[in-house]
Amino acid sequence: MKSKVLTTILVVAGLVASLLVIFPSGREYCYQDQCGVMFWGAHEHDAIWHLAVSNTLFSNFPFEMPNMSESMMSGYNYLLDIVIATTSFVTRIPASNLYFQIIPILWFGLFAWVSSKFAKQYHKSKYYLPALLFFSFFGSSLGYLITLKNAGSFWGSSSILSMQPLQNLLNLQFSLSLLPFLAILIGLVNKRRSVKDYVLYGIYAFIAIGLKLYTGVGIVMLLIVDWVIRAIRRKDPILLSTPKLLITGLFSILAVIIFYAPFSQSTGAPFLLDPMATVNPIVEDSSLLYLPKTAERLYSLRGVKLVVIELFVLGLFLVFNFGSRIFAAFGLAGKQEPNEIREIVGLTAIIMLILSILLTQRGVWWNTVQFLYVSLFLFNILAAEGLVKIFQLPKFGIVLGVTIVLITIPTNIDVMRSFSNFPGNSYISSNELSALEFLKKQDPGIVLTGGLQLRGSKIALPPLEATYDTTYVSAYSHKQSYLSDLIQLRLTNIDYHERLEMVSRYDCEVLEDVKYLYEVNESLYVSNYQDCGRGLETIYSNDTASVYLVR
């Protein structure tokens, strides 16, 4: 098959499959007698969070958290939310349309174009571009072997290990952060290392850090590796190259200060050294590979024996998470033409992998898996090169290459099945949307919500407020919440415990800090404040939700 035809097929297939993951969410549908806005997958939390930030961002300056009033925005990458908030303000396009439909389409076009530019300059084979696009859109783990072992089925396999390319739009800011990463790679391939170039790389790093800290760290590591390799090989005088690298460093530090406010954190560094904490669950967790005897040895052995067991577990972790890329990379075995960019990419991928193995994140320990996402992205570049080599083998090359392609099918089918199922995972009912729209039109003020104690639901399409602690009230009312989405507060390292205690005991002082109470009829709580001596006037009510004004 001609390379152009293959590229076209991959672009079209990648577009359809990628948009399937995000495009349907945030839109109104009806299922039986339930109508409202539906959400699939992680969008029922992560996308809601971004909508809440975007729709409340300009309410205060300095910016504050949408889910805990009077708390400064910190420890969080909110550049995407600034862009959405500004664009929505100027164009009047709702933030939900920008997040779920418009930005993903723009991202896909830019990602395919930038990947094409990089591929053509990185590798001379005309088949490298389709190979790169294949791994960039359809590279997969071997999670389906685990679900096949545990449940006798491939279904659900895409959600048990690290996020794979077809799921990238579940993490829109990560997807966007790959664009400046690729732009820097293109510059390095073209040997652009002047002061002007490093200023541009600094701007790219600033954007990447504002979108996703983990990708920004990857960019900084990439440039450091490039600097070290060229210094060792004496291609650049170190006295001249170091100041240029520091330019990028200054932009990166500035981005960290602006978006993450590190000096405002009173609870210590965001990352903790905890080697293998993200790796060992592969044999400890009953929903994963689960090897109880091996897991037991992790805690009973010492010395060399423990090292051997840990290396075995690490091997399993790598094989199952890197999946099809591992087999494609075998194509690079043996003697290869020297390629400095390949070395830089490979070493950076290893460094990012090591960071994901060694570190955990304060608050939500497993979140450092996002270092692994960057490693997988870089490894796609090497896997694509290996796949081209495999297809060129004189004996069994086509058979081996097709086998690698077939290995990716189960995971990707599971992803598409998960996001094509109807109805979605949860929804905000039309009645709630009406109540939130009314609240949106009221004067500015802080909103107290219920829902911190989830009541759960076993129906096919559960209300979002019953299944997940989110900031959906802020997202759709455009008003800050007094306290909600505790997961996000833990992620951003914000101490919410005193406020949580006050809300849990229905402390009357809470009413001093809020103007509105929002109550879902299935989770009544407002009556607990009736004896506080403050007037609570019902200003809106329907069959599902009520809005109260604190007098």
Side-chain angles (χ1 to χ4, degrees):
M1 187 181 293
K2 292 184 178 180
S3 61
K4 289 185 179 179
V5 174
L6 193 55
T7 298
T8 301
I9 292 173
L10 284 165
V11 168
V12 173
L15 174 65
V16 173
S18 295
L19 292 185
L20 179 63
V21 170
I22 191 169
F23 212 82
S25 288
R27 304 173 75 178
E28 292 195 48
Y29 306 90
C30 286
Y31 172 72
Q32 297 178 357
D33 61 343
Q34 297 171 272
C35 294
V37 173
M38 292 188 192
F39 303 94
W40 280 258
H43 295 309
E44 64 183 348
H45 176 268
D46 295 357
I48 289 290
W49 165 254
H50 284 285
L51 295 183
V53 176
S54 301
N55 286 331
T56 63
L57 194 65
F58 295 150
S59 300
N60 299 282
F61 190 82
F63 302 139
E64 293 184 5
M65 302 290 284
N67 56 331
M68 186 167 166
S69 55
E70 298 182 355
S71 295
M72 190 177 78
M73 181 74 72
S74 63
Y76 172 68
N77 41 273
Y78 57 91
L79 179 57
L80 171 61
D81 307 298
I82 292 176
V83 172
I84 291 176
T86 304
T87 305
S88 182
F89 177 79
V90 172
T91 64
R92 299 303 174 187
I93 298 173
S96 59
N97 292 128
L98 290 167
Y99 187 92
F100 289 114
Q101 286 91 39
I102 295 174
I103 292 177
I105 292 174
L106 294 175
W107 169 82
F108 186 90
L110 285 171
F111 184 78
W113 176 67
V114 177
S115 296
S116 175
K117 287 195 67 175
F118 169 75
K120 291 175 181 177
Q121 295 169 27
Y122 173 75
H123 203 280
K124 61 185 178 182
S125 172
K126 61 183 178 180
Y127 286 100
Y128 179 73
L129 172 58
L132 179 62
L133 292 176
F134 171 74
F135 281 107
S136 295
F137 298 140
F138 300 108
S140 74
S141 71
L142 298 180
Y144 56 87
L145 296 180
I146 295 177
T147 56
L148 193 61
K149 166 186 170 290
N150 293 342
S153 171
F154 292 155
W155 304 137
S157 59
S158 60
S159 62
I160 62 174
L161 295 175
S162 60
M163 185 179 75
Q164 298 297 317
L166 197 54
Q167 299 164 301
N168 276 353
L169 286 176
L170 285 174
N171 195 332
L172 183 56
Q173 65 274 31
F174 172 73
S175 298
L176 291 167
S177 72
L178 298 181
L179 298 175
F181 208 134
L182 282 168
I184 291 175
L185 283 170
I186 291 171
L188 295 180
V189 168
N190 289 317
K191 306 185 187 303
R192 294 174 184 160
R193 293 179 175 86
S194 68
V195 172
K196 180 180 177 181
D197 293 324
Y198 272 91
V199 170
L200 186 59
Y201 297 160
I203 294 172
Y204 288 152
F206 181 93
I207 292 171
I209 291 171
L211 291 167
K212 180 63 67 172
L213 176 63
Y214 303 94
T215 310
V217 171
I219 286 175
V220 172
M221 291 300 173
L222 180 85
L223 293 172
I224 291 175
V225 169
D226 176 67
W227 171 77
V228 170
I229 288 177
R230 295 181 68 81
I232 291 174
R233 294 174 179 170
R234 298 182 179 179
K235 290 189 175 183
D236 285 331
I238 195 166
L239 291 177
L240 294 179
S241 61
T242 301
K244 290 188 288 187
L245 182 64
L246 289 176
I247 293 172
T248 302
L250 290 174
F251 276 97
S252 302
I253 292 170
L254 181 63
V256 170
I257 292 172
I258 291 175
F259 294 109
Y260 300 92
F263 306 116
S264 70
Q265 301 296 320
S266 58
T267 52
F271 301 117
L272 302 171
L273 183 64
D274 193 357
M276 300 294 286
T278 58
V279 175
N280 289 336
I282 191 82
V283 296
E284 296 173 334
D285 192 328
S286 60
S287 66
L288 299 180
L289 195 56
Y290 192 52
L291 303 173
K293 291 184 178 179
T294 302
E296 183 181 346
R297 291 188 181 104
L298 292 174
Y299 299 94
S300 62
L301 296 179
R302 295 291 183 271
V304 175
K305 290 183 179 179
L306 176 60
V307 172
V308 171
I309 288 293
E310 288 284 23
L311 288 175
F312 170 70
V313 174
L314 178 59
L316 292 174
F317 176 84
L318 295 178
V319 169
F320 279 94
N321 277 284
F322 281 79
S324 55
R325 303 168 186 84
I326 290 283
F327 302 105
F330 279 117
L332 296 177
K335 189 175 181 179
Q336 302 291 329
E337 293 182 11
N339 187 323
E340 188 173 88
I341 299 301
R342 183 196 302 132
E343 296 173 6
I344 294 166
V345 167
L347 287 171
T348 306
I350 291 171
I351 291 171
M352 298 306 291
L353 171 62
I354 290 172
L355 290 177
S356 74
I357 293 170
L358 295 180
L359 302 177
T360 57
Q361 183 170 322
R362 193 183 296 274
V364 180
W365 65 273
W366 48 260
N367 207 39
T368 50
V369 71
Q370 294 187 76
F371 285 125
L372 179 61
Y373 298 168
V374 181
S375 182
L376 292 170
F377 160 71
L378 292 170
F379 212 80
N380 287 338
I381 295 170
L382 306 180
E385 191 173 1
L387 186 61
V388 171
K389 294 279 188 181
I390 287 173
F391 270 108
Q392 292 172 344
L393 292 175
K395 290 184 179 181
F396 307 111
I398 293 178
V399 173
L400 292 172
V402 169
T403 301
I404 291 171
V405 172
L406 293 177
I407 285 172
T408 68
I409 290 177
T411 297
N412 289 303
I413 288 179
D414 184 59
V415 173
M416 290 185 282
R417 175 181 178 270
S418 300
F419 288 91
S420 59
N421 279 343
F422 190 83
N425 295 88
S426 59
Y427 84 122
I428 303 173
S429 69
S430 297
N431 275 348
E432 273 210 80
L433 292 172
S434 297
L436 293 168
E437 181 64 24
F438 174 84
L439 182 55
K440 174 183 171 182
K441 295 176 181 178
Q442 304 309 299
D443 292 337
I446 307 302
V447 182
L448 178 64
T449 65
L452 292 176
Q453 300 296 325
L454 300 178
R455 55 189 170 86
S457 178
K458 295 182 179 180
I459 62 176
L461 180 60
L464 178 60
E465 55 85 18
T467 58
Y468 227 120
D469 173 23
T470 74
T471 50
Y472 82 96
V473 172
S474 294
Y476 284 89
S477 71
H478 296 208
K479 288 179 170 57
Q480 281 182 287
S481 296
Y482 182 73
L483 183 67
S484 62
D485 196 349
L486 305 186
I487 292 175
Q488 199 66 41
L489 291 173
R490 288 194 290 271
L491 276 169
T492 50
N493 223 4
I494 292 177
D495 186 3
Y496 60 86
H497 293 91
E498 181 180 352
R499 188 170 292 194
L500 175 61
E501 184 181 345
M502 292 176 66
V503 171
S504 299
R505 66 173 185 261
Y506 305 105
D507 193 317
C508 293
E509 290 187 19
V510 170
L511 298 184
E512 301 294 329
D513 298 322
V514 303
K515 187 170 184 177
Y516 304 100
L517 278 65
Y518 180 83
E519 181 180 63
V520 175
N521 294 350
E522 294 295 328
S523 299
L524 300 176
Y525 75 94
V526 172
S527 60
N528 292 290
Y529 290 100
Q530 294 291 354
D531 296 331
C532 288
R534 299 292 299 271
L536 299 178
E537 178 185 352
T538 304
I539 56 175
Y540 182 91
S541 185
N542 61 32
D543 292 339
T544 304
S546 301
V547 179
Y548 298 85
L549 176 66
V550 179
R551 291 296 185 182

